[in-house]
Amino acid sequence: MSQEIVLRTTNLGKRYKNRWAVEDVNLEIHRGDVFGFLGPNGAGKSTTIRMILSLIRPTTGSVELFGHRLETEREKALAKVAGIVEKPDFYLYLSALRNMEIAGALTLGKAPEKKRIMDSMALVELQDRADDRVKTFSHGMKQRLGIAQALLCNPDLIVLDEPTNGLDPQGMKEVRELIAQLSHEHGITVFLSSHLL
Protein backbone atom coordinates (compact mmCIF):
# COMPACT_ATOMS: atom_id res chain seq x y z
CA MET A 1 0.00 0.00 0.00
CA SER A 2 1.26 3.47 -0.89
CA GLN A 3 2.03 5.80 1.99
CA GLU A 4 0.93 8.87 0.00
CA ILE A 5 -2.04 10.47 1.71
CA VAL A 6 -4.69 11.32 -0.87
CA LEU A 7 -7.37 12.57 1.54
CA ARG A 8 -7.06 13.78 5.12
CA THR A 9 -9.74 15.38 7.26
CA THR A 10 -8.89 16.92 10.62
CA ASN A 11 -11.60 17.56 13.23
CA LEU A 12 -14.09 18.09 10.38
CA GLY A 13 -17.53 19.21 11.49
CA LYS A 14 -20.72 20.82 10.21
CA ARG A 15 -23.23 22.49 12.48
CA TYR A 16 -26.73 23.66 11.50
CA LYS A 17 -28.01 26.04 14.19
CA ASN A 18 -28.09 23.94 17.38
CA ARG A 19 -27.46 20.54 15.76
CA TRP A 20 -24.21 18.93 14.66
CA ALA A 21 -24.70 17.00 11.40
CA VAL A 22 -21.02 15.95 11.48
CA GLU A 23 -18.59 16.34 14.37
CA ASP A 24 -14.83 15.69 14.69
CA VAL A 25 -14.31 13.44 11.65
CA ASN A 26 -10.65 12.47 11.26
CA LEU A 27 -9.82 10.41 8.17
CA GLU A 28 -6.62 9.45 6.41
CA ILE A 29 -6.88 7.68 3.04
CA HIS A 30 -3.84 6.50 1.11
CA ARG A 31 -3.33 6.15 -2.63
CA GLY A 32 -4.87 2.93 -3.94
CA ASP A 33 -7.27 2.46 -1.02
CA VAL A 34 -10.90 1.52 -1.45
CA PHE A 35 -12.25 3.22 1.65
CA GLY A 36 -15.73 2.35 2.90
CA PHE A 37 -17.36 5.15 4.91
CA LEU A 38 -20.05 3.28 6.84
CA GLY A 39 -22.92 4.58 8.91
CA PRO A 40 -26.70 4.47 9.22
CA ASN A 41 -28.93 6.82 7.25
CA GLY A 42 -28.80 10.30 8.77
CA ALA A 43 -25.33 9.80 10.28
CA GLY A 44 -23.78 12.62 8.22
CA LYS A 45 -22.09 10.66 5.42
CA SER A 46 -23.42 12.83 2.59
CA THR A 47 -22.68 16.00 4.57
CA THR A 48 -19.08 14.84 5.03
CA ILE A 49 -18.79 14.08 1.31
CA ARG A 50 -20.18 17.52 0.45
CA MET A 51 -17.50 19.11 2.64
CA ILE A 52 -14.76 16.97 1.04
CA LEU A 53 -15.94 18.03 -2.44
CA SER A 54 -16.21 21.70 -1.38
CA LEU A 55 -19.97 21.81 -1.99
CA ILE A 56 -20.57 23.10 1.54
CA ARG A 57 -18.26 24.84 4.01
CA PRO A 58 -17.29 23.06 7.21
CA THR A 59 -18.04 24.73 10.53
CA THR A 60 -14.87 23.27 12.07
CA GLY A 61 -11.76 21.46 10.92
CA SER A 62 -10.09 21.08 7.55
CA VAL A 63 -9.85 18.93 4.41
CA GLU A 64 -6.60 18.19 2.59
CA LEU A 65 -6.49 16.52 -0.84
CA PHE A 66 -3.18 15.46 -2.41
CA GLY A 67 -1.33 17.64 0.09
CA HIS A 68 -3.37 20.79 -0.71
CA ARG A 69 -5.67 22.39 1.84
CA LEU A 70 -9.15 22.77 0.39
CA GLU A 71 -9.70 26.04 2.23
CA THR A 72 -6.71 27.83 0.69
CA GLU A 73 -5.87 25.83 -2.49
CA ARG A 74 -9.29 24.69 -3.72
CA GLU A 75 -8.41 24.39 -7.42
CA LYS A 76 -5.23 22.37 -6.81
CA ALA A 77 -6.91 20.23 -4.15
CA LEU A 78 -9.81 19.24 -6.43
CA ALA A 79 -7.86 18.94 -9.70
CA LYS A 80 -7.64 15.12 -9.54
CA VAL A 81 -10.97 14.46 -7.80
CA ALA A 82 -14.32 13.37 -9.19
CA GLY A 83 -17.47 12.52 -7.28
CA ILE A 84 -21.13 11.65 -7.29
CA VAL A 85 -23.26 12.87 -4.39
CA GLU A 86 -26.48 10.91 -3.75
CA LYS A 87 -27.30 9.99 -7.37
CA PRO A 88 -26.14 11.00 -10.83
CA ASP A 89 -28.53 13.16 -12.85
CA PHE A 90 -29.00 13.02 -16.60
CA TYR A 91 -31.02 14.48 -19.42
CA LEU A 92 -33.24 11.41 -19.78
CA TYR A 93 -34.42 12.26 -23.31
CA LEU A 94 -30.84 12.44 -24.62
CA SER A 95 -28.53 9.55 -25.44
CA ALA A 96 -25.88 8.35 -23.03
CA LEU A 97 -23.24 9.64 -25.46
CA ARG A 98 -24.79 13.13 -25.57
CA ASN A 99 -25.04 13.21 -21.77
CA MET A 100 -21.35 12.31 -21.60
CA GLU A 101 -20.47 15.08 -24.07
CA ILE A 102 -22.37 17.66 -22.00
CA ALA A 103 -20.89 16.46 -18.68
CA GLY A 104 -17.42 16.41 -20.20
CA ALA A 105 -17.79 19.94 -21.56
CA LEU A 106 -18.89 21.19 -18.12
CA THR A 107 -16.02 19.41 -16.36
CA LEU A 108 -13.21 19.92 -18.87
CA GLY A 109 -14.27 23.22 -20.43
CA LYS A 110 -14.74 21.58 -23.86
CA ALA A 111 -16.40 18.48 -25.22
CA PRO A 112 -14.11 15.46 -24.82
CA GLU A 113 -13.10 13.39 -27.81
CA LYS A 114 -15.49 10.57 -28.66
CA LYS A 115 -12.74 7.99 -28.04
CA ARG A 116 -12.30 9.26 -24.48
CA ILE A 117 -16.05 9.03 -23.89
CA MET A 118 -16.24 5.54 -25.35
CA ASP A 119 -13.25 4.39 -23.27
CA SER A 120 -15.03 5.58 -20.10
CA MET A 121 -18.25 3.88 -21.18
CA ALA A 122 -16.36 0.67 -22.00
CA LEU A 123 -14.90 0.65 -18.51
CA VAL A 124 -18.42 0.51 -17.05
CA GLU A 125 -19.60 -1.87 -19.82
CA LEU A 126 -22.06 0.56 -21.42
CA GLN A 127 -20.32 1.19 -24.75
CA ASP A 128 -23.02 -0.79 -26.62
CA ARG A 129 -25.72 1.51 -25.21
CA ALA A 130 -24.04 4.82 -26.08
CA ASP A 131 -26.71 5.84 -28.59
CA ASP A 132 -29.67 4.81 -26.41
CA ARG A 133 -31.67 7.38 -24.48
CA VAL A 134 -30.89 7.35 -20.79
CA LYS A 135 -34.60 7.02 -19.95
CA THR A 136 -34.35 3.41 -21.18
CA PHE A 137 -31.56 2.61 -18.66
CA SER A 138 -32.09 0.66 -15.45
CA HIS A 139 -31.13 2.25 -12.13
CA GLY A 140 -27.91 0.22 -12.07
CA MET A 141 -27.00 1.33 -15.59
CA LYS A 142 -27.54 4.98 -14.59
CA GLN A 143 -25.22 4.47 -11.60
CA ARG A 144 -22.55 3.04 -13.91
CA LEU A 145 -23.05 5.87 -16.41
CA GLY A 146 -22.55 8.35 -13.56
CA ILE A 147 -19.25 6.65 -12.74
CA ALA A 148 -18.28 6.83 -16.42
CA GLN A 149 -18.98 10.60 -16.34
CA ALA A 150 -16.79 10.96 -13.26
CA LEU A 151 -13.97 9.10 -15.05
CA LEU A 152 -13.88 11.60 -17.94
CA CYS A 153 -11.51 13.89 -16.01
CA ASN A 154 -9.06 11.01 -15.33
CA PRO A 155 -9.34 11.34 -11.53
CA ASP A 156 -6.87 9.89 -9.05
CA LEU A 157 -9.63 9.94 -6.39
CA ILE A 158 -13.29 9.19 -6.98
CA VAL A 159 -15.86 9.86 -4.25
CA LEU A 160 -19.11 7.89 -4.44
CA ASP A 161 -22.06 8.55 -2.14
CA GLU A 162 -24.05 5.32 -1.61
CA PRO A 163 -23.30 3.96 -5.13
CA THR A 164 -25.32 0.76 -4.55
CA ASN A 165 -28.37 2.47 -3.00
CA GLY A 166 -31.60 1.22 -4.56
CA LEU A 167 -29.91 -1.42 -6.69
CA ASP A 168 -30.98 -5.04 -6.95
CA PRO A 169 -28.42 -7.71 -5.93
CA GLN A 170 -27.05 -8.02 -9.49
CA GLY A 171 -26.67 -4.25 -9.79
CA MET A 172 -24.87 -4.14 -6.43
CA LYS A 173 -22.50 -6.89 -7.58
CA GLU A 174 -21.73 -5.02 -10.83
CA VAL A 175 -20.96 -1.76 -9.02
CA ARG A 176 -18.77 -3.53 -6.43
CA GLU A 177 -16.82 -5.28 -9.18
CA LEU A 178 -16.40 -1.98 -11.02
CA ILE A 179 -15.07 -0.27 -7.87
CA ALA A 180 -12.54 -3.08 -7.35
CA GLN A 181 -11.50 -2.81 -11.01
CA LEU A 182 -11.02 0.98 -10.76
CA SER A 183 -8.68 0.45 -7.82
CA HIS A 184 -6.76 -2.66 -8.84
CA GLU A 185 -6.47 -2.16 -12.61
CA HIS A 186 -6.49 1.63 -12.93
CA GLY A 187 -4.91 2.75 -9.65
CA ILE A 188 -7.80 5.04 -8.71
CA THR A 189 -8.37 5.65 -5.01
CA VAL A 190 -12.05 5.17 -4.15
CA PHE A 191 -13.92 6.73 -1.22
CA LEU A 192 -17.44 5.34 -0.97
CA SER A 193 -20.15 5.76 1.60
CA SER A 194 -22.74 3.13 2.44
CA HIS A 195 -25.18 2.17 5.15
CA LEU A 196 -24.71 -1.51 4.21
CA LEU A 197 -21.69 -3.37 5.61
Side-chain angles (χ1 to χ4, degrees):
M1 180 176 82
S2 170
Q3 293 304 305
E4 180 189 356
I5 297 170
V6 168
L7 168 62
R8 175 187 282 137
T9 67
T10 307
N11 302 323
L12 192 63
K14 182 65 178 177
R15 185 181 178 119
Y16 294 102
K17 295 187 180 176
N18 297 323
R19 183 182 61 83
W20 285 95
V22 174
E23 191 172 10
D24 290 328
V25 174
N26 295 287
L27 302 172
E28 195 171 279
I29 300 168
H30 296 88
R31 184 174 290 279
D33 286 353
V34 174
F35 184 88
F37 191 47
L38 294 172
N41 290 331
K45 298 183 303 296
S46 294
T47 301
T48 301
I49 285 174
R50 285 185 172 98
M51 288 188 284
I52 289 168
L53 295 175
S54 189
L55 299 174
I56 59 173
R57 241 180 239 276
T59 306
T60 61
S62 63
V63 176
E64 190 178 295
L65 294 152
F66 301 97
H68 302 285
R69 281 190 57 134
L70 193 56
E71 186 179 7
T72 56
E73 299 177 280
R74 184 177 186 271
E75 195 170 315
K76 287 180 181 176
L78 294 173
K80 298 178 181 180
V81 180
I84 301 171
V85 181
E86 291 184 355
K87 68 179 185 71
D89 283 320
F90 305 101
Y91 296 103
L92 299 178
Y93 59 91
L94 295 178
S95 70
L97 177 63
R98 186 67 186 122
N99 270 280
M100 292 283 283
E101 289 170 345
I102 292 167
L106 290 170
T107 303
L108 305 169
K110 61 178 182 167
E113 295 176 14
K114 187 172 180 181
K115 181 184 182 324
R116 186 172 183 174
I117 291 172
M118 294 308 291
D119 287 348
S120 289
M121 291 187 73
L123 203 61
V124 300
E125 298 182 0
L126 287 175
Q127 68 276 18
D128 295 337
R129 300 290 303 267
D131 294 321
D132 294 350
R133 290 182 182 193
V134 175
K135 70 179 180 180
T136 66
F137 283 21
S138 69
H139 184 63
M141 291 168 69
K142 288 175 186 170
Q143 287 293 96
R144 292 187 352 244
L145 184 61
I147 293 170
Q149 281 184 346
L151 293 172
L152 282 175
C153 67
N154 293 325
D156 287 338
L157 169 65
I158 188 164
V159 180
L160 304 172
D161 188 12
E162 305 252 9
T164 60
N165 200 21
L167 299 183
D168 61 19
Q170 180 60 33
M172 287 181 179
K173 180 176 182 284
E174 289 170 359
V175 170
R176 285 190 193 119
E177 288 172 353
L178 174 59
I179 288 166
Q181 180 186 4
L182 292 176
S183 174
H184 300 305
E185 294 178 23
H186 301 279
I188 298 171
T189 304
V190 181
F191 177 101
L192 68 105
S193 72
S194 180
H195 61 278
L196 299 171
L197 182 59

